[in-house]
Amino acid sequence: GAGVSQSPSNKVTEKGKDVELRCDPISGHTALYWYRQSLGQGLEFLIYFQGNSAPDKSGLPSDRFSAERTGGSVSTLTIQRTQQEDSAVYLCASSLAGTSGGYRSEQYFGPGTRLTVT
Amino acid sequence: SQQGEEDPQALSIQEGENATMNCSYKTSINNLQWYRQNSGRGLVHLILIRSNEREKHSGRLRVTLDTSKKSSSLLITASRAADTASYFCATDYLTYYGNNRLAFGKGNQVVVIP
């Protein structure tokens, strides 16, 4: 079946501009996660959605970052007034459930959006 | 910090050899998962080991978990050139907000030389 998709795959933007990154999770997955990965680093958690609500947004680095999810499906991560330090690969993942451990917490990742702020 | 830490961080081996990576973590976990990443893009789930399990196998992969030492190892046997990738361990734990979160280590870069 279809996996997690993200768009665009690459985005180059000028400092100060706003960008929107999109994630389409696997159908039926109630949990959705956004991560950021800087060059050569591990994944930095940004935000978790359960359905359309975000009970854990503790990883968002500043108020320039926001995200929403509609219809329990598609999610959009918005970065306002981008800065050069925002340059990274933004990864989206979904899982069957976000509140129970075990196999239901296995996350399926999209290919990521590589954001470059010039 | 919950974050896992892999050791060693870079490994270069000949095809056919075994590759072993270690991961340590700091607090209680529900399970520990290993992921693979090719070319800095999406991660692929490899294997999950629950906190009450000590060893698990999946094909050429063997994972061990020692909760008393808060450590795990991933062994890839009979490595192939296609195994060249970065490998991340991730600890699954329950957050203050009631959701499960995966905390990822910085990854092990493995290069398998044909």
Side-chain angles (χ1 to χ4, degrees):
Chain A
V4 178
S5 61
Q6 292 186 247
S7 60
S9 57
N10 286 284
K11 177 71 176 179
V12 180
T13 189
E14 292 180 353
K15 178 181 173 181
K17 301 277 190 182
D18 298 351
V19 294
E20 283 191 354
L21 312 179
R22 177 187 167 105
C23 172
D24 278 276
I26 293 173
S27 177
H29 281 194
T30 61
L32 186 146
Y33 307 80
W34 283 98
Y35 296 90
R36 178 169 70 174
Q37 185 178 32
S38 300
L39 187 63
Q41 299 297 308
L43 273 69
E44 174 189 5
F45 168 83
L46 296 178
I47 188 170
Y48 154 71
F49 284 93
Q50 180 60 40
N52 291 337
S53 63
D56 185 357
K57 54 180 77 171
S58 62
L60 295 178
S62 76
D63 58 9
R64 295 187 295 105
F65 288 72
S66 64
E68 65 175 13
R69 188 179 185 195
T70 56
S73 181
V74 172
S75 177
T76 302
L77 177 68
T78 301
I79 309 173
Q80 295 178 311
R81 304 181 303 281
T82 52
Q83 304 294 313
Q84 287 185 332
E85 61 263 28
D86 299 334
S87 296
V89 175
Y90 289 82
L91 292 160
C92 173
S94 68
S95 66
L96 275 171
T99 54
S100 63
Y103 78 95
R104 289 166 64 85
S105 71
E106 293 176 13
Q107 296 186 15
Y108 296 80
F109 283 80
T113 294
R114 186 178 300 278
L115 175 66
T116 304
V117 182
T118 61
Chain B
S1 168
Q2 178 70 33
Q3 195 165 25
E5 297 180 357
E6 292 90 354
D7 172 55
Q9 296 188 346
L11 185 63
S12 183
I13 58 174
Q14 295 289 328
E15 200 166 33
E17 293 181 340
N18 296 341
T20 300
M21 290 155 270
N22 298 307
C23 169
S24 61
Y25 57 93
K26 294 186 170 68
T27 60
S28 297
I29 62 172
N30 296 315
N31 61 68
L32 186 144
Q33 304 178 29
W34 284 89
Y35 288 80
R36 184 181 72 198
Q37 184 180 40
N38 292 83
S39 304
R41 303 300 280 202
L43 279 72
V44 175
H45 181 269
L46 294 177
I47 193 165
L48 179 153
I49 185 165
R50 297 175 190 271
S51 60
N52 61 353
E53 296 177 310
R54 292 296 168 259
E55 187 170 313
K56 199 160 184 180
H57 296 252
S58 176
R60 294 184 295 111
L61 304 179
R62 182 173 79 99
V63 170
T64 63
L65 179 64
D66 186 335
T67 52
S68 66
K69 296 181 179 177
K70 291 187 168 56
S71 67
S72 173
S73 69
L74 172 67
L75 168 68
I76 305 174
T77 60
S79 63
R80 305 168 181 167
D83 295 330
T84 295
S86 292
Y87 293 82
F88 293 85
C89 74
T91 50
D92 181 318
Y93 66 100
L94 190 63
T95 72
Y96 167 82
Y97 305 96
N99 58 290
N100 287 71
R101 185 189 293 190
L102 287 182
F104 286 83
K106 292 186 177 180
N108 261 297
Q109 187 169 4
V110 174
V111 175
V112 181
I113 303 166

